[in-house]
Amino acid sequence: MRGVRSSLEQSHVVLQLLSEPIKVASNSSIDSVLAPHYEKAAKMKFGQLLEGVNSKLSEPLAFADAFESLQQARNCFEHRNGIVGPVDAPAGGVLVLRFPRAKIFYLKNGSEVELQSGQVVNDGSENAGVQIHFKLDIRERRFGLGSRITLSAADFNEIAFACNLFGTNLHAGILSAGTDKPKDAM
């Protein structure tokens, strides 16, 4: 999640530079020009930063609320050793951790049946084959006030996938934002 935050900060700076022409003294270094933009981004809360970046993209990043919940869990790990405190669970005493994941499933009697390792696939019909489906979905974990956030290896893999998905979508959004302007505006 620190990588996600850092990516958002850098994207914020790039998008600011793309949207607002700046004048600099000829003896300025690139570091001195960029420093105020990086300082501003570093001071923003995660939600503000995400909202600011999303506002400048032609298509907002998917699953923004899930990434805010991941950031909330990261804060809990870092500041409270993973023990859910009142600041982590203000609504109803529960921290809801949500993260995007890849869901692979088949349909059986109209219901989605998620594939598990080693599972024999049978949709209950006499058909010779079963159609396998894939979609992006949200996994949700709930942790009550005073409980410790625990993640399985499978959860960790899905969170890593989510961070990769975030980076890929952010990269595509930044590239698109850089080419959306008319040439004479650059």
Side-chain angles (χ1 to χ4, degrees), residues 20 28 44 50 53 78 97 108 133 146 148 159 162 166 168 178 180 185:
E20 299 170 10
S28 298
M44 296 172 82
L50 184 57
V53 167
E78 189 164 314
L97 174 59
K108 183 174 185 175
H133 303 273
R148 180 177 298 278
I159 290 169
F166 182 88
T168 301
D180 283 349

Side-chain angles (χ1 to χ4, degrees), residues 103-106 113-121 132-133:
K103 181 178 181 179
I104 302 171
F105 63 97
Y106 66 97
V113 179
E114 191 164 358
L115 289 176
Q116 304 296 321
S117 180
Q119 177 181 7
V120 175
V121 177
I132 304 296
H133 303 273

Side-chain angles (χ1 to χ4, degrees), residues 37-89:
H37 295 286
Y38 278 112
E39 287 171 18
K40 180 181 177 187
K43 290 178 182 175
M44 296 172 82
K45 292 188 180 225
F46 185 87
Q48 294 171 313
L49 192 56
L50 184 57
E51 186 179 312
V53 167
N54 265 339
S55 72
K56 293 196 181 327
L57 297 177
S58 56
E59 187 173 320
L61 296 166
F63 307 112
D65 59 334
F67 285 100
E68 286 196 58
S69 84
L70 282 165
Q71 179 65 21
Q72 193 175 15
R74 187 207 68 82
N75 286 341
C76 180
F77 276 120
E78 189 164 314
H79 301 293
R80 288 166 290 289
N81 295 320
I83 306 295
V84 177
V87 70
D88 305 310

Side-chain angles (χ1 to χ4, degrees), residues 134-148:
F134 169 88
K135 71 178 182 180
L136 292 176
D137 194 28
I138 294 286
R139 170 91 63 206
E140 191 173 287
R141 299 278 185 252
R142 294 176 171 270
F143 304 95
L145 198 59
S147 66
R148 180 177 298 278

